[in-house]
Structures are given as C-alpha cells and as structure tokens.
C-alpha cells in the first residue's frame, strides 16, 4: 500500500492540471498569506470594538473569505459556510453578540499563538460553545494562519481522506476534523519527502482524490484491483493532455502579469528611478533575461524586523528615488485575481512603521476591470483607500503611452495623467 501511495503522489506531482502544480506551486498563493492574516486581524478588531455588524455581506469577514475562495480550485466555494442563512439562523455569529465575540476570540488566539497545543485548545473552546452552523469550515481560515499546523477542509478533502485511508470521517463536526487532522499529519510525515511541511500540499492531494480526478489505491492486496487502479491513473494522464489548452490560457495570464511588471520596470529605469521587483518574482524569465535584472537586490529601509516588511517586499513593482532611496511609487498588477491582497500590501507600505510620503499608489489592471475594482473598493475593509489616493492604471493606457513617457516624461506626473483616481463613491 505504501508503494502505491508513493506512486500516486509522484504521478500527481507531475500532473500539470493537478492542484500541486496549478495551485500549490502557484506564485500568487504565497502572496496571499500575509494579506489574509491582515484581514483576519481586521475582523478581530471590529468584533472587539463592537463594529463588526450583524451581516456577512459587506463585512470584513466577507472580504477575507472572498479572497480565500478565489484561490484556485481547492478553496472554491469556501464562502458558502459563512453566508448568512436567515431561515436557519446560521452561522450564528452575526446576530448573537456572545457567539460573535467567541468567534473573534478564536481568531485572535490563533493569530497570536504558534503551537499545535494552543491552536487545538482554541478549537476545543469554540467547539464547547456549540455555535450553530460554525463548524470546521473555519479551518480554511486557520490554514492561512498556520499552514504547517492546520490542513484545509472541505467535502472533497474529507472524501479523499476516507478513500485513501478507508476511514469514515463525517463532515461538519470539529471532533471529526481534529481526528482527520491527526491522520493527515501522520500521512504527511510518512511522505514528507514528496510533499511539504505546508499542509496545503497533502490537502491538495486529498482534494484531487475526493473530487474524482484521481482514484485512491485499492485498500486490499488484490492484483485485479491494482490493475484497474493503474488503468485509472493512465486515464488521468490522457485527460491532462486534453486540458493543456486551459492551462496554456492560465499561463498566458501569468505571462501577462510578468509582461506588465517588465513594462513598469523598464519605464521606471527610463524615468531615472531605482526599481524593486517583488521578491518572489526576481527570477521570472523576461525577454532575454530575468525580471529582476538591473533592479535592487535589497529593499532599503525594510529589514526583517520592520513591521509589514515581508508584505511590502511582495509588492509587484516599486520605484525609488536614486539619491534618497525613498519609495516614490508602488504598483500592484491585478490581472485576474482579487484586488484584496494588493491593497493590503499597499496599506502595509503606506501605513506601516516605515511609512513614507508616497507620490503614487497604482492598481494596474485590464481596462475592463475598472468597474469591478471600483465596486470592490466600496467594501468597509477598504475604507482607508480614499486617504491613500490609490489610482487605477489601465493596461491599454500603459501600453499606448509608455514609450512616449519613457522618452519625454519626467517624474510621476505623466503616469498620474494616464491613470484614474479610485476614491470610493
């Protein structure tokens, strides 16, 4: 059985359409951890202050969960558990102040702690309250706080775990989730050399099993069953070839994101600025070299001790004054993902302990996304955007005018001229 599971993992890792390659190794996945943590801190702050409200729609929690749900495949539908069902009065954390505070305490404890014992103890505390409708779907929030402690959770993951282990875990109860978590940790320890300390990897494997992309190895020692299972694996490989066109389109999205970063890099250099490229994008291929070629290798003023420094170093492109090393402008390229993470990184830059008098904060996105971005900025979680004067820079204007700006422009004025103010209505 061990050999069969190892074979399964190896084939799954090589599958370009499986969650390992399409989600777990996705660069944008790591960028979202900081912003989701920041969002959960906002939820706790509002609950503590009594300003969270009595509805899911429009709340800071909706903003965070929406950001999680837009993570590819595995978290699709993550918001269903938190949607207010008025007829059932669940989940009972909106109209019940005591339950809402208990939920805030769970998040606050998990934000502050860093051990298995503390996290599990906090779960037992919330479970003891028996809050109607508030079950282990919350683990999807906790995963982004403690990815090496808490595995993600949904129906497909439970089904995948049962199929792989022969268990009969049920959905919806914390005690079942914690028991499954122990089994997942043991599985992950056995195959860690093929997986990761980050439990998102094994969560993705279980998701692909439970959603039907892969069939679990036969539990019994039966030659016929093994051959049937190997035939299923072969069929998945053929199916992956048919999905190549979809994956090519997704890679084109990533390529476009890199292309826009390259335009901004070159434009910044032409205008006389030093340029910083997001830390995890430095080595991306661009033209005949790397995206980070000719750019700063260290971001001045942001050490590992600086609050929010990790988030700031993930901003897609920064322009810095060459003499003072002051950050002049920040650009977040949002091709198809939620704008939430980019906004949070800008907040960390503009409002953090090393806050600087920025001349420009820009969301760079396709022309057709401007209406959607304006709509999202109406959320309460983005109330500080009006103060920051974030602007919308459309791809079309950047493509059309960047050559002229590079040749004749000076400072940020020409870039501001082709962008639009994003003050919420």
């Amino acid at each position: 059985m061990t050999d069969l599971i190892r074979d399964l993992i190896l084939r799954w890792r090589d599958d370009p359409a499986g969650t390992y390659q399409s989600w777990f190794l996705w660069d944008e996945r790591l960028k979202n951890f900081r912003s989701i943590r920041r969002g959960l801190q906002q939820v706790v702050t509002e609950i503590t202050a009594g300003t969270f409200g009595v509805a899911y729609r429009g709340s800071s929690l909706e903003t965070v969960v929406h950001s999680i749900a837009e993570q590819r495949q595995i978290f699709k539908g993550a918001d269903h558990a938190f949607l207010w069902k008025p007829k059932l009065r669940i989940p009972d954390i909106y109209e019940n102040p005591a339950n809402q505070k208990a939920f805030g305490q769970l998040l606050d404890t998990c934000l502050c702690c860093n051990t298995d014992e503390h996290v599990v103890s906090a779960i037992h505390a919330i479970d003891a309250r028996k809050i109607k409708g508030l079950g282990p779907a919350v683990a999807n929030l906790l995963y982004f706080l403690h990815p090496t402690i808490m595995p993600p959770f949904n129906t497909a993951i439970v089904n995948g775990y049962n199929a792989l282990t022969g268990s009969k875990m049920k959905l919806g109860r914390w005690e079942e989730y914690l028991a499954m978590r122990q089994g997942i940790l043991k599985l992950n320890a056995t195959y860690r050399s093929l997986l990761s300390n980050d439990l998102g990897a094994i969560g993705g494997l279980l998701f692909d099993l439970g959603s039907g992309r892969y069939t679990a190895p036969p539990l019994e020692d039966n030659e016929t069953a093994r051959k049937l299972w190997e035939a299923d694996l072969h069929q998945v490989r053929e199916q992956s070839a048919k999905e190549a066109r979809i994956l090519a389109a997704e890679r084109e999205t990533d390529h476009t994101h890199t292309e826009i970063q390259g335009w901004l890099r070159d434009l910044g250099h032409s205008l006389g600025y030093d340029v910083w490229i997001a830390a995890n994008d430095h080595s991306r291929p661009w033209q005949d070299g790397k995206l980070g070629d000719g750019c700063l290798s260290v971001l001045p003023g942001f050490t590992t001790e600086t609050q929010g420094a990790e988030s700031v170093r993930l901003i897609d492109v920064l322009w810095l004054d060459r003499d003072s090393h002051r950050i002049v402008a920040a650009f977040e390229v949002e091709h198809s993902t939620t704008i939430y993470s980019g906004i949070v990184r800008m907040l960390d830059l503009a409002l953090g302990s090393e806050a600087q008098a920025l001349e420009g904060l820009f969301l760079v996105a396709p022309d057709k996304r401007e209406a959607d971005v304006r709509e999202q900025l109406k959320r309460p979680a983005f109330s500080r955007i009006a103060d920051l004067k974030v602007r919308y820079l459309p791809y079309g204007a950047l493509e059309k005018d960047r050559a002229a700006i590079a040749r004749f422009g000076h400072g940020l004025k020409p870039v501001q001229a082709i962008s639009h103010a994003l003050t919420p209505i």
Side-chain angles (χ1 to χ4, degrees), residues 377-425:
L377 288 179
K378 294 178 183 179
R379 297 175 183 269
F382 295 140
S383 59
R384 300 299 305 272
I385 298 307
D387 299 335
L388 298 181
K389 299 179 181 178
V390 176
R391 302 182 67 84
Y392 191 91
L393 178 56
Y395 283 4
L398 181 61
E399 182 176 20
K400 175 177 175 290
D401 297 320
R402 62 191 174 93
I405 293 174
R407 186 174 180 183
F408 303 111
H410 178 73
L412 283 186
K413 286 186 178 180
V415 181
Q416 291 170 332
I418 65 173
S419 61
H420 313 141
L422 277 175
T423 302
I425 298 173

Side-chain angles (χ1 to χ4, degrees), residues 115-137:
T115 67
D116 297 52
E117 292 78 8
H118 283 109
V119 175
V120 173
S121 177
I123 288 173
H124 284 310
I126 197 75
D127 187 34
R129 296 189 63 90
K130 303 301 177 187
I131 299 174
K132 189 165 61 173
L134 191 73

Side-chain angles (χ1 to χ4, degrees), residues 60-76:
S60 53
L61 178 62
E62 183 196 18
T63 304
V64 177
V65 176
H66 183 66
S67 180
I68 292 173
E70 287 194 350
Q71 294 263 316
R72 297 174 177 174
Q73 299 165 305
I74 188 171
F75 292 105
K76 186 177 182 181

Side-chain angles (χ1 to χ4, degrees), residues 28 46 102 159 206 214 229 231 237 303 307 311 356:
E28 294 298 310
E46 292 179 8
N159 291 341
L206 298 176
Y214 283 88
W229 174 70
R237 182 173 294 176
T303 66
Q307 183 178 3
S311 180
Q356 303 180 31

Side-chain angles (χ1 to χ4, degrees), residues 16-152:
T19 54
Y20 186 74
Q21 290 200 32
S22 65
W23 172 70
F24 188 73
L25 297 183
W26 181 41
D27 288 340
E28 294 298 310
R29 183 183 77 91
L30 296 177
K31 283 188 175 184
N32 289 332
F33 276 84
R34 166 72 185 180
S35 56
I36 290 170
R37 169 178 281 271
R38 174 70 175 267
L40 291 175
Q41 288 172 332
Q42 179 68 22
V43 172
V44 171
T45 298
E46 292 179 8
I47 290 176
T48 302
T51 59
F52 179 80
V54 296
Y56 175 72
R57 292 297 188 191
S59 71
S60 53
L61 178 62
E62 183 196 18
T63 304
V64 177
V65 176
H66 183 66
S67 180
I68 292 173
E70 287 194 350
Q71 294 263 316
R72 297 174 177 174
Q73 299 165 305
I74 188 171
F75 292 105
K76 186 177 182 181
D79 55 342
H80 293 170
F82 297 95
L83 290 172
W84 173 236
K85 290 87 173 175
K87 292 183 179 180
L88 300 173
R89 322 308 293 176
I90 59 173
D92 195 12
I93 56 172
Y94 303 116
E95 296 182 345
N96 187 314
N99 287 346
Q100 188 177 109
K101 288 183 178 179
F103 175 59
Q105 183 60 53
L106 167 70
L107 296 180
D108 188 43
T109 299
C110 292
L111 277 161
C112 298
C113 71
N114 56 13
T115 67
D116 297 52
E117 292 78 8
H118 283 109
V119 175
V120 173
S121 177
I123 288 173
H124 284 310
I126 197 75
D127 187 34
R129 296 189 63 90
K130 303 301 177 187
I131 299 174
K132 189 165 61 173
L134 191 73
V138 177
N140 285 330
L141 304 180
L142 304 186
Y143 164 73
F144 283 91
L145 298 179
H146 298 288
T148 63
I149 295 176
M150 302 297 293

